[in-house]
């Protein structure tokens, strides 16, 4: 039903709009000019960029949005968001005063660092918008599986800057959204025709319109406000409309900045010779003329409310809202205003126009015409704020201590992963029902095929596999249904990570926990790295399985080989990286992962490994396609724990150990062979299997920190493993990845270390060719051992 807004409601909404503009602008001013900042840095805060979205955000937050709706706010409109939450009683004055300060309101809305109920973090432009699209898909997924049906459908809303549409991930997600039938998603583009540096290209709105329509979206162009529409109906109004329609963005911006007299001069010289037009212009004062000419729809509450309330369907909608960057502020329209800050004198004048008395700047109703009671009543009834905490919770699902898998004599970790998922797929448990897998067109080649055969592909509308109905033999069953548990994506890795982010926040967004597992080729993590970072920053929970990896995928060549990923795994906050060599290790790690990603407590560091195991996080498994001989052994609880903590002795070093070889992942056979070959010439050689350089390193640094704070008995896992090593033994580390991954092991107890690994792009060849060429084969390990340890030449060392 279409409702029209009453004059009363409009008046009060207008008051709130003024207040949001004031508070957001003041917050930024306070941080820059008033708060004691001793380091001499201006903290910035984007007054112009914020002001641009004030009216749109007022219409949405104070009228349109419902508790079930979720919003990604343009990063630079963060002050508006905090001001709105402050008005609604969900943000404190203290945090606003401390905007951009330590533990203050965040520069860009942050789920994890802000306290005022941010739905989606933003900051890296483009990603927030995509997050809303994928969150709509996840909402559909959850509901199609019969969960959370007691809650109404939410709308996922993104407020984005026009320059955000330059980001490639926007197009990638639009295409994917079209394939998946996205709905309940609104994007509102703040079309201020300015980016960071300058005024943008002419006519972009037409490209956007065509683009969105092509991808199945409704497009609503919000160009003129109600004042302008009324003026267009006056005699001469049509000529005025044509003039504005033809006015280049740059000139329009310049005139906005200059004000009434400049508008008059330009209009008179261009169209003032027409009688009716000159009357239309002449009947207005400079101030009225400026108000009229800047009355774009994005700053016109009645137009916005009407347009938003008119939508009575669940199709995705893109609103292109014409706005002015810095609207209502002295640098409105100026092309350099992105980082512009109002001076103290400008702020003083602004304070006067806003009726705010000195000392009353933070008072919520200061300077407004409505009574505080009426305003408070209005705020108390804002639908968006009526739903209680926006952060939902969901229960955890019990995970098995051990996962079943038949270990073959020779196997790769990738095959092991496929076999583990195949076994899981047979289980009718609640946990398995919550697993959702996804992959960017590498489902089959990352070994998810048998899982998909058992659990099916997800689509709201079922579609059959024609190959199957035509009885054409095929290994894979490609049937879609609403109960399917695999979401097949196109090749875009950015989409994979943003979908994982949306799936991995389902417990808090939809109140329904999912266990997301995404697979891709290891090198292409780099393609989606910013989106991965974004997912982690929001504390989304998922398991990432990257395979194949390293130069071990030898014949595929340099473009497919990954070197830096082990370091990414270590450095990326929020994700624990593992690189097992054997399938029984992988089984233990996967069992741990299924539990770890469900933990969302604020747990302390565990004193056993000095890791944040109670807090949980996401998991990255770097796997390999190389079949290697498996070790026949019984898995014991201590071994499983050591694997999860990051390392164990595959061969204990003796008391007079001269060399330790520490390896990670697919190079295990080379390390084992090298240790065997040097055993005659070096005493008590140890072989350390590193299953997680990331956790091993994190535990070590955390334990050091704990000791520095006085916990003298803090010991990390690696320190315990190395405790008995003689100080003069050498350490050779080897990994199919950057050597720095394990080189730090030498610092734990001051051992001399020779780190082997890959530093340069590979080329095609056999594994043997490449391991030899890049120096990570058994011979290279032996050579390194000989170079750093005293003693007779090692007999098995071949000339290199
Ligand atoms: C991925 C990324 N690249 C660069 C930036 C730096 N940056 C911040 S805002 C901005 C341009 C903003 O223009 P627009 O989206 O039109 O927003 P406006 O301020 O005009 O509302 C840029 C380049 C960023 N935040 N994220
Ligand atoms: Mg812009």
């Amino acid at each position: 039903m279409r409702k029209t807004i009453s004059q009363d409601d409009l008046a009060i909404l207008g008051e709130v709009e003024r207040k949001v503009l004031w508070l957001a602008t003041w917050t930024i001013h306070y941080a820059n000019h008033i708060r004691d900042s001793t380091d001499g840095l201006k903290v910035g805060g984007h007054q112009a960029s914020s002001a641009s979205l004030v009216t749109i955000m007022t219409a949405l937050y104070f009228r349109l949005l419902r508790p079930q709706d979720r919003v990604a706010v343009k990063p630079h409109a963060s002050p508006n968001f905090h001001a709105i939450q402050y008005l609604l009683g969900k943000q404190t004055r203290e945090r606003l005063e401390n905007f951009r300060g330590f533990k203050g309101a965040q520069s860009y809305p942050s789920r994890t660092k802000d306290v005022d109920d941010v739905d989606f973090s933003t900051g890296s432009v483009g990603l927030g918008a995509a997050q809303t699209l994928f969150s709509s898909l996840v909402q559909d997924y959850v509901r199609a599986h019969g969960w959370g049906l007691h809650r109404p459908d939410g709308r996922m809303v993104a407020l984005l800057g026009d320059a955000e549409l330059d980001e490639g991930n926007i197009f990638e997600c639009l295409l994917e959204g079209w394939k998946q039938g996205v709905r309940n998603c609104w994007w509102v583009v703040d079309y201020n025709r300015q980016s960071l540096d300058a005024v943008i290209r002419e006519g972009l709105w037409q490209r956007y319109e065509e683009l969105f329509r092509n991808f199945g979206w409704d497009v609503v162009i919000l160009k003129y406000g109600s004042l302008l529409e009324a003026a267009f109906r006056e005699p001469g109004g049509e000529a005025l409309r044509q003039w504005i329609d033809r006015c280049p963005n740059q000139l329009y911006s310049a005139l906005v900045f200059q004000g009434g007299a400049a508008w008059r001069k330009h209009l008179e010289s261009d169209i003032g010779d027409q009688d009716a037009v000159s009357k239309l212009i002449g009947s207005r004062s400079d101030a009225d003329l400026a108000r009229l000419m800047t009355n774009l729809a994005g700053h016109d509450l009645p137009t916005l409310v009407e347009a938003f309330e008119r939508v009575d369907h669940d199709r995705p909608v893109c609103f292109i809202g014409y706005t002015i960057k810095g609207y209502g502020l002295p640098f409105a329209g100026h092309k350099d205003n992105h980082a512009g800050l109002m001076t103290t004198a400008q702020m003083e004048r602004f304070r006067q126009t806003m009726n705010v008395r000195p000392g009353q700047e933070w008072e919520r109703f200061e300077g407004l015409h409505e009574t505080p009671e009426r305003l408070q009543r209005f705020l108390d009834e804002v639908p968006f704020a009526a739903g209680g905490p926006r952060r939902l919770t969901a229960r955890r699902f019990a995970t098995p201590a051990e996962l079943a898998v038949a270990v073959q004599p020779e196997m790769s970790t990738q095959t092991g992963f496929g076999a583990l998922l195949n076994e899981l797929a047979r289980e009718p448990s609640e946990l398995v029902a919550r697993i959702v897998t996804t992959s960017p067109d590498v489902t089959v080649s990352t070994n998810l095929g048998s899982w998909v055969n058992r659990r099916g592909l997800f689509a709201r509308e079922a579609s059959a596999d024609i190959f199957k109905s035509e009885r054409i033999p095929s290994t894979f069953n490609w049937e879609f249904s609403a109960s399917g548990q695999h979401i097949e994506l196109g090749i875009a890795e950015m989409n994979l990570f943003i979908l994982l982010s949306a799936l991995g926040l389902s417990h808090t967004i939809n109140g329904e926990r999912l266990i997301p597992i995404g697979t891709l080729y290891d090198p292409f993590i780099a393609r989606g790295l910013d989106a991965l970072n974004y997912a982690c920053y929001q504390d989304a929970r998922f398991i990432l399985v990257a395979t194949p990896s390293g130069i071990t995928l030898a014949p595929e060549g340099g473009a497919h080989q990954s070197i830096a990923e082990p370091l990414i795994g270590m450095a990326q906050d929020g994700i624990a990286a593992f690189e097992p060599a054997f399938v029984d290790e992988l089984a233990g790690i996967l069992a741990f992962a299924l539990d770890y990603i469900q933990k969302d407590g604020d747990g302390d560091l565990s004193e056993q490994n000095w890791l944040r195991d109670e807090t949980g996080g996401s998991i990255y498994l770097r796997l390999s396609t190389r079949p290697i001989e498996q070790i026949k052994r019984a898995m014991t609880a201590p071994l499983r724990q050591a694997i999860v903590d990051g390392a164990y002795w595959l061969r204990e070093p003796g008391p007079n150990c001269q060399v330790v070889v520490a390896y990670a992942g697919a190079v295990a056979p080379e390390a084992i062979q090298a240790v065997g070959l040097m055993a005659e010439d070096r005493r008590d050689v140890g072989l350390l299997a590193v299953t997680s350089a990331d956790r091993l390193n994190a535990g070590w640094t955390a334990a050091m920190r704990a000791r520095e704070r006085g916990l003298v008995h803090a010991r990390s896992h690696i320190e315990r493993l190395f405790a008995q090593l003689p100080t003069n033994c050498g350490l050779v580390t080897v990994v199919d990845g950057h050597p720095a991954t394990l080189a730090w092991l030498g610092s734990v107890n001051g051992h001399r270390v020779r780190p082997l690994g890959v530093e340069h792009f590979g080329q095609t060849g056999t594994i043997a060719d490449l391991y030899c060429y890049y120096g990570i084969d058994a011979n290279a390990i032996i050579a390194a051992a000989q170079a750093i340890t005293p003693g007779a030449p090692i007999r098995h060392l071949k000339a290199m």
Side-chain angles (χ1 to χ4, degrees), residues 488-718:
E488 179 71 7
L489 292 172
I491 314 172
E493 285 76 15
M494 291 294 277
N495 283 340
L496 170 75
F497 288 113
I498 302 174
L499 175 59
L500 286 174
S501 175
L503 292 166
L505 287 174
S506 180
H507 54 286
T508 154
I509 297 290
N510 299 308
E512 296 293 337
R513 189 179 297 283
L514 297 174
I515 310 285
I517 302 179
T519 66
L520 86 169
Y521 293 179
D522 197 51
F524 302 129
I525 286 180
R527 175 75 79 112
L529 199 48
D530 195 28
L532 169 64
N533 183 54
Y534 176 65
C536 291
Y537 179 57
Q538 306 206 68
D539 201 21
R541 300 306 181 83
F542 52 87
I543 299 171
L544 182 67
V545 184
T547 170
S549 61
I551 58 170
T552 303
L553 55 77
E556 299 240 21
H560 270 37
Q561 297 164 357
S562 58
I563 295 174
E565 275 65 11
L567 294 177
I568 291 172
M570 290 177 83
Q572 178 62 53
D573 192 13
I575 197 163
F578 291 89
E579 185 166 1
F582 301 105
V583 173
D584 60 353
E585 296 170 354
L586 174 63
I589 293 166
L590 190 59
F592 167 80
L594 291 170
D595 186 45
Y596 183 78
I597 63 165
Q598 297 190 60
K599 293 185 173 174
D600 40 10
D602 305 317
D604 292 328
L605 293 177
S606 136
E607 296 202 5
Q608 123 86 23
N609 56 17
W610 294 94
L611 294 167
R612 299 192 299 177
D613 281 0
E614 286 316 307
T615 309
S618 286
I619 297 280
Y620 159 30
L621 306 177
R622 187 176 192 247
L623 304 186
S624 173
T625 39
R626 181 188 190 192
I628 64 173
E629 195 185 327
Q630 301 291 305
I631 305 172
K632 283 194 201 68
R633 58 185 165 189
M635 184 53 66
T636 62
L639 177 57
R640 191 179 307 113
Q641 184 62 50
I643 288 167
V644 160
D645 287 345
Y648 63 95
W649 288 115
L650 198 53
R651 174 178 161 153
E652 287 265 0
N656 299 311
C657 172
Q658 284 185 296
V659 188
V660 163
V661 176
Y663 75 90
V667 293
E670 283 63 31
I672 292 168
Q673 191 192 6
V675 166
L677 291 175
M678 68 177 99
E680 295 167 36
D681 300 307
R682 290 294 179 277
R683 279 192 307 277
D684 293 352
V685 180
L687 179 60
L688 187 73
V690 177
T691 44
S692 172
D694 179 21
R695 282 169 60 85
L696 212 51
N697 180 268
W700 175 53
T701 52
M704 285 190 289
R705 229 176 287 124
R707 288 198 293 272
E708 286 151 19
R709 290 183 188 153
L711 287 168
V712 289
H713 299 298
R715 284 290 170 282
S716 63
H717 185 56
I718 188 65

Side-chain angles (χ1 to χ4, degrees), residues 49 52 74 160-164 189-196 198 200 323 325 338:
S49 190
S52 186
K74 180 183 83 167
L160 56 162
D162 41 8
E164 284 196 53
V189 180
D190 179 2
Y191 193 53
N192 59 24
R193 286 144 293 134
Q194 278 185 249
S195 59
L196 192 159
I200 63 175
T323 53
K325 192 155 168 171
H338 185 83

Side-chain angles (χ1 to χ4, degrees), residues 60-71 81 84-85 88 90 116-119 379 381-390:
L60 286 171
Y61 278 94
F62 292 97
R63 185 159 170 110
L64 270 301
L65 295 176
R66 297 292 174 269
Q68 63 271 24
D69 299 333
R70 300 284 179 174
V71 194
F81 175 79
I84 288 169
Q85 296 297 73
L88 294 171
K90 305 202 165 175
D116 51 350
D117 268 347
V118 171
D119 290 327
L379 293 176
E381 286 168 8
V382 166
F384 177 76
R390 300 183 60 68

Side-chain angles (χ1 to χ4, degrees), residues 129-140 156 173-187 212 215-218 313-317 460:
Q131 180 84 21
T132 60
L133 186 146
F134 284 105
S135 294
S136 325
L137 295 178
V138 171
Q139 174 174 260
D140 278 344
M156 305 295 162
C173 83
L174 283 175
L175 181 54
E176 195 60 51
W178 171 77
K179 291 185 207 162
Q180 309 273 352
V182 67
R183 59 195 188 120
N184 289 315
C185 187
W186 279 12
W187 284 8
F212 279 91
F215 287 126
W217 288 54
D218 282 18
H313 55 78
D314 64 4
R315 290 191 300 278
V317 186
R460 265 188 299 132

